Amino acid sequence: MFAMSKQDAEQVSEAEIAVHWGEEKLIQPSPEFIAQANMTDEKIFERFSLENFPDCFKEYADLLDWYKTWDLTLDTSEAPSWKWFVGGLINASYNCVDRHLAQYKNKAAIIWVPEPEEESHIVLTYQELYVRVNEFAALLSDKTGLKTGDRVTIHMPMVPELPVTMLACARLGVIHSVVFGGFSGNACGERIADSGSRVLITMDGYYRSGKLLDHKVKADEAVKTANKEGQEVEHVLVWRRYGDRNASEAPMVKGRDHFVDELLPAYRGKRVEPVQLPAEAPLFLMYTSGTTGRPKGCQHGIGGYLAYAAATSKYVQDIHPEDVYWCMADIGWITGHSYIVYGPLALGATSVMYEGVPTFPDAGRAWRIAEQLDVNIFHTAPTTIRMLRKAGPDEPAKYNYNFKHMTTVGEPIEPAVWRWYHEVVGKGKAVIVDTYWQTETGGFLCSTMPAIHPMKAGSAGPAVPGIHPKILDEDGNEIPRGANKAGILIIQNPWPGQFQTIWGDQERYVETYYAKFNKDPKSKDWRDWPYIPGDAAMEAEDGYFRILGRMDDVINVAGHRLGTKELESACLMVDAIAEASVVPVNDEIKGKVPDIYISLKPGFEASDEIKLAVVKTIEESIGKIARPKNVWIVPDMPKTRSGKIMRRVLASISNNQDVGDITTLANPDIVEEVRRMVQGK
Ligand code: WT7
């Protein structure tokens, strides 16, 4: 349940101090950039004003091809689950593939860069993408019987077969749920069960930091976990990294597991008509972490989502069909869905995909790829920027590439890091957009419009067209615009990219994102349902928003959300552990990482084995991404008199900050003991 306690409200002001970087100067986009930009008309903000809501979004939907135009722009009858472009018929696969054939069939849709530098790139032209998507769609419906409305879980690394698989599902109206390849088999299995998938599509292996990792082994764990939760997996389709050999040692289970490359020849030349689907039918689920242990399957609809992804790709990313666009995210996260696959391909662009680690085999790799492919739009996250800067602060200057546009996304970026990105990576020429959004929102909420607004380091910028935020205090009172005061960010209106519900849990959807400021739960008027992203923010005088971070029990690690409850319940699987508390600790590269405090059951002694068991359990139940910075075994947790663990106190200790007033705690002495253990003095 979303409820910000007094304590959490205190954290907002802590966040404000922590992330307050002072005002930065404004930097104008270059005349060269403006001259070629897709959107230079400031009037777009008038066209997308609240007076013109919701019909203004026709402008976005018109970027797509529809089998039938919609009758109603926004249907609020199931508020706060919004249905966009109702009555319209559409197919996402058709929009991302077929419709480009007439003009662009011989143009690169996807350029895939394998991690081993000696391996050749793979280029899929739109024609080739069309053929592969069709053949795989034919295989899917024939071999597995998947049909419109069914869910399928896809657990794949960054290979070109991943977008092929997604677009094949979209063609059939099968709802895909892509699980980040780095997640454990167990985490994948939970998502299989939650989504009710009876088919899992995976890969035998992939390269990461020079090693060919066995990935298929995770599928076996995933099926086991799903089974335990009551979901049977009938088919496991396994793509292979190399056509002629198997990168995994995991055995193939007879009758259940199939190598895709062995099945595909039977479907050569097969074509599958894209299914004409209602605009509001679900396109995919994307799981994200929340306050309670169970991950949430965010459901995105076809028409609204695709219109929003395409339009923001065109106007905020400034993608033209002739650009070479490289988003170095993973398709297993929402960024990859919207801004590697659906947005760029809907526009007929060339989207670059990279298999591996940005600094492998050395700090120049990313810039060599950019030089070789003549990438001109580059999109990545602060974590990666910090990593690249640390590994090779002078590397970009050695390579001859030319970015016109760069993006940073996923977490706040420090002005110093922003400036390196601008001056060194962008060579002082590229514009930068700092895009603020979330899994739930499908596309950007805040960002400068690159040819219209100047850039400001450390600020996400104003709201994008059609998004109308406000900042409220704890009681729902509006904090005056431009007051530079921290509060709760809300969006007053729905927009087409917004998710439709949490899969199978409408109640949690309403509770988490809307209940706090809704006065009439029966209302069908969108004005009564401000959307709550869960972030604290402040708005500067110039209307630029600075995002201060999460207000819930969620840690943003390297730009991705991890629920502290998920980590804590994983810890409790280790037999010796009585209590666990997870707090965010600042990290030079990843922004934040989890620090874990555990106390032991009577009869157990603190030991390195227990610490190692905690790390191993977390890696197995969630994935390496959740690996803690430290595991502290403490004699007891600081607690309130009612027995609540004071995470705030532990977080202050981990971050070398003052613990504040602890006189009301049940056991104030323990704080000093823990502090000495962690800070060593
Ligand atoms: C959370 C969403 C959006 C794709 C990647 C993450 C934080 C996101 C920014 C930004 C400051 C940001 C917020 C948000 N966040 N973008 N530009 N500046 N913070 O998606 O895993 O759904 O996480 O990331 O806290 O709520 P996600």
Side-chain angles (χ1 to χ4, degrees):
M1 198 177 104
F2 188 95
M4 204 168 76
S5 64
K6 192 95 209 227
Q7 237 162 39
D8 295 326
E10 275 168 37
Q11 284 188 354
V12 174
S13 53
E14 276 177 19
E16 184 184 359
I17 296 160
V19 203
H20 200 288
W21 295 312
E23 273 304 300
E24 289 286 320
K25 65 173 198 293
L26 297 174
I27 302 177
Q28 297 295 337
S30 69
E32 293 78 30
F33 179 81
I34 296 171
Q36 60 80 61
N38 280 327
M39 181 52 69
T40 51
D41 180 10
E42 279 176 50
K43 290 214 178 68
I44 186 170
F45 289 94
E46 278 165 43
R47 293 202 298 278
F48 281 78
S49 69
L50 274 180
E51 288 88 82
N52 297 330
F53 180 88
D55 290 329
C56 51
F57 284 109
K58 175 179 189 300
E59 190 171 327
Y60 285 6
D62 282 344
L63 294 173
L64 304 177
D65 283 0
W66 296 80
Y67 297 113
K68 177 181 171 291
T69 319
W70 57 97
D71 312 307
L72 183 61
T73 308
L74 174 64
D75 176 359
T76 65
S77 62
E78 285 171 39
S81 280
W82 317 110
K83 292 189 210 147
W84 285 88
F85 309 122
V86 175
L89 291 175
I90 190 164
N91 185 285
S93 183
Y94 178 85
N95 272 280
C96 292
V97 186
D98 309 41
R99 69 163 176 161
H100 304 308
L101 294 180
Q103 204 180 345
Y104 293 128
K105 77 171 164 203
N106 198 28
K107 172 182 188 298
I110 291 165
I111 303 178
W112 179 67
V113 181
E115 192 191 70
E117 220 163 348
E118 64 283 3
E119 281 186 22
S120 309
H121 299 174
I122 289 178
V123 178
L124 296 187
T125 62
Y126 275 96
Q127 169 66 23
E128 220 171 330
L129 183 62
Y130 170 76
V131 169
R132 290 194 186 218
V133 166
N134 272 282
E135 291 179 354
F136 190 64
L139 184 160
L140 269 186
S141 58
D142 183 52
K143 186 78 199 169
T144 68
L146 281 173
K147 54 181 192 324
T148 304
D150 291 346
R151 281 80 54 211
V152 59
T153 297
I154 303 174
H155 195 206
M156 289 175 67
M158 284 291 283
V159 289
E161 289 80 4
L162 175 52
V164 167
T165 302
M166 293 160 71
L167 293 164
C169 292
R171 202 167 187 84
L172 301 167
V174 170
I175 305 167
H176 59 69
S177 166
V178 179
V179 175
F180 171 54
F183 273 143
S184 66
N186 183 61
C188 177
E190 281 172 6
R191 288 157 175 78
I192 291 175
D194 189 85
S195 62
S197 305
R198 54 181 184 81
V199 178
L200 169 64
I201 305 175
T202 187
M203 178 103 186
D204 62 344
Y206 62 102
Y207 272 99
R208 193 124 191 109
S209 284
K211 279 201 240 51
L212 187 56
L213 303 183
D214 184 339
H215 188 65
K216 161 67 169 57
V217 62
K218 290 185 176 178
D220 300 323
E221 281 164 35
V223 171
K224 224 187 282 163
T225 303
N227 253 322
K228 247 189 266 163
E229 298 204 4
Q231 177 62 45
E232 202 205 329
V233 178
E234 294 161 27
H235 301 279
V236 178
L237 299 180
V238 186
W239 289 96
R240 276 198 279 196
R241 176 71 171 69
Y242 298 101
D244 58 348
R245 66 202 128 111
N246 196 356
S248 168
E249 286 178 359
M252 297 291 278
V253 175
K254 226 177 159 230
R256 186 196 73 181
D257 300 356
H258 322 271
F259 285 126
V260 176
D261 58 295
E262 290 179 356
L263 300 178
L264 263 178
Y267 301 92
R268 189 185 54 78
K270 286 271 184 306
R271 299 291 178 261
V272 176
E273 266 310 297
V275 181
Q276 302 192 10
L277 295 156
E280 73 276 15
L283 176 60
F284 66 83
L285 307 180
M286 167 61 63
Y287 282 84
T288 187
S289 294
T291 334
T292 65
R294 221 152 46 83
K296 311 176 266 195
C298 296
Q299 175 187 317
H300 284 280
I302 306 169
Y305 168 81
L306 195 63
Y308 200 71
T312 48
S313 294
K314 180 162 183 173
Y315 302 130
V316 181
Q317 296 290 304
D318 198 50
I319 299 176
H320 303 58
E322 57 276 20
D323 288 325
V324 182
Y325 167 84
W326 182 18
C327 172
M328 203 165 45
D330 194 291
I331 294 174
W333 306 109
I334 191 71
T335 304
H337 275 49
S338 300
Y339 299 112
I340 297 177
V341 180
Y342 286 112
L345 296 183
L347 297 177
T350 297
S351 189
V352 176
M353 282 176 71
Y354 174 52
E355 176 179 34
V357 173
T359 49
F360 183 87
D362 57 62
R365 182 65 190 277
W367 320 125
R368 282 200 292 285
I369 294 170
E371 178 183 85
Q372 192 176 8
L373 300 179
D374 203 14
V375 170
N376 66 343
I377 307 181
F378 183 68
H379 185 154
T380 193
T383 295
T384 311
I385 303 170
R386 292 184 205 112
M387 187 167 95
L388 289 164
R389 178 179 181 229
K390 191 167 180 209
D394 307 319
E395 282 303 297
K398 299 180 192 159
Y399 296 93
N400 182 22
Y401 63 81
N402 230 319
F403 294 158
K404 67 166 184 176
H405 182 295
M406 306 193 300
T407 299
T408 165
V409 61
E411 48 176 324
I413 181 167
E414 304 84 336
V417 177
W418 191 97
R419 280 192 289 271
W420 180 77
Y421 197 36
H422 183 244
E423 283 151 28
V424 181
V425 178
K427 307 184 175 181
K429 289 186 292 201
V431 296
I432 295 181
V433 292
D434 179 344
T435 60
Y436 162 68
W437 59 298
Q438 334 171 275
T439 304
E440 293 86 339
T441 70
F444 307 142
L445 294 177
C446 292
S447 166
T448 48
M449 288 295 267
I452 298 177
H453 301 121
M455 306 162 242
K456 184 159 81 175
S459 269
V464 297
I467 301 292
H468 300 278
K470 264 188 188 166
I471 297 181
L472 306 183
D473 70 13
E474 179 55 25
D475 303 319
N477 303 312
E478 197 173 329
I479 294 178
R481 300 211 54 173
N484 247 322
K485 215 170 148 261
I488 303 166
L489 182 73
I490 58 117
I491 313 295
Q492 300 173 63
N493 59 297
W495 64 96
Q498 196 174 19
F499 72 140
Q500 302 173 309
T501 187
I502 296 175
W503 181 259
D505 204 344
Q506 175 73 5
E507 205 177 311
R508 187 177 180 194
Y509 167 77
V510 179
E511 268 308 312
T512 310
Y513 301 100
Y514 293 99
K516 189 177 170 70
F517 295 126
N518 167 260
K519 292 192 185 76
D520 175 9
K522 293 213 171 64
S523 173
K524 304 292 174 214
D525 186 340
W526 57 265
R527 291 168 196 82
D528 290 326
W529 295 98
Y531 172 76
I532 308 166
D535 286 300
M538 54 201 256
E539 187 184 0
E541 259 168 89
D542 52 17
Y544 282 42
F545 289 89
R546 179 168 294 171
I547 308 302
L548 302 172
R550 304 286 317 166
M551 296 184 305
D552 49 14
D553 293 328
V554 166
I555 305 182
N556 190 330
V557 181
H560 299 294
R561 274 189 278 170
L562 288 176
T564 49
K565 289 262 166 41
E566 265 171 87
L567 284 136
E568 287 165 2
S569 38
C571 293
L572 295 178
M573 282 156 55
V574 177
D575 187 39
I577 296 177
E579 285 184 307
S581 182
V582 176
V583 299
V585 55
N586 297 325
D587 181 87
E588 192 196 347
I589 302 292
K590 293 181 177 169
K592 301 248 188 291
V593 285
D595 232 11
I596 296 191
Y597 289 84
I598 51 176
S599 64
L600 305 180
K601 289 179 187 159
F604 286 95
E605 289 279 318
S607 68
D608 285 346
E609 284 75 57
I610 294 179
K611 290 188 184 180
L612 284 176
V614 168
V615 175
K616 194 164 159 268
T617 306
I618 284 178
E619 285 186 6
E620 278 168 8
S621 63
I622 301 166
K624 287 206 166 74
I625 183 169
R627 193 187 286 167
K629 187 161 209 163
N630 305 287
V631 179
W632 304 105
I633 303 182
V634 296
D636 196 4
M637 301 284 176
K639 285 183 187 150
T640 61
R641 295 214 172 116
S642 58
K644 207 176 148 225
I645 299 176
M646 289 290 287
R647 281 214 191 79
R648 181 180 62 83
V649 171
L650 293 172
S652 306
I653 294 175
S654 280
N655 290 299
N656 278 314
Q657 286 159 355
D658 184 11
V659 295
D661 182 10
I662 51 163
T663 49
T664 58
L665 292 194
N667 53 355
D669 297 347
I670 209 76
V671 175
E672 182 53 21
E673 205 177 326
V674 173
R675 193 195 63 74
R676 227 176 292 135
M677 169 190 277
V678 173
Q679 300 178 353
K681 53 181 182 312

